[in-house]
Amino acid sequence: DASSGAVEFHLRGHVGAVTAVAFRPDGYELVTAGADGTVRGWDLVSGNNPRVLPQAAVVRALAGCPNRRRLAWATDQNLGG
């Protein structure tokens, strides 16, 4: 919580470093990428377990589309989405 500084959720799941982070435009989901080769979508309302999208390489960048229907990412090898 930005106003109180209280921790809302502990987002655990990546093995190793988190390499990229992006909020969905509506602010209800956080998308992270990790050195473990996964992209994870975290529901910030419920704190439920994330959706996991395995990748063949480490994701270095994430970007969400304003309509919430698309997510793009870049690895050292290619673009995905």
Side-chain angles (χ1 to χ4, degrees):
D1 184 308
S3 61
S4 70
V7 174
E8 297 275 333
F9 300 107
H10 289 277
L11 305 176
R12 294 186 175 97
H14 285 293
V15 176
V18 172
T19 57
V21 176
F23 279 99
R24 288 287 195 160
D26 63 11
Y28 294 117
E29 186 176 25
L30 180 70
V31 181
T32 60
D36 58 1
T38 63
V39 173
R40 296 171 185 260
W42 306 87
D43 181 334
L44 296 180
V45 176
S46 68
N48 288 339
N49 292 332
R51 290 179 284 156
V52 179
L53 303 168
Q55 302 301 305
V58 176
V59 173
R60 302 290 181 186
L62 295 166
C65 184
N67 70 7
R68 245 187 75 101
R69 294 189 175 160
R70 301 272 188 242
L71 176 69
W73 57 86
T75 70
D76 292 336
Q77 298 174 353
N78 59 26
L79 295 174

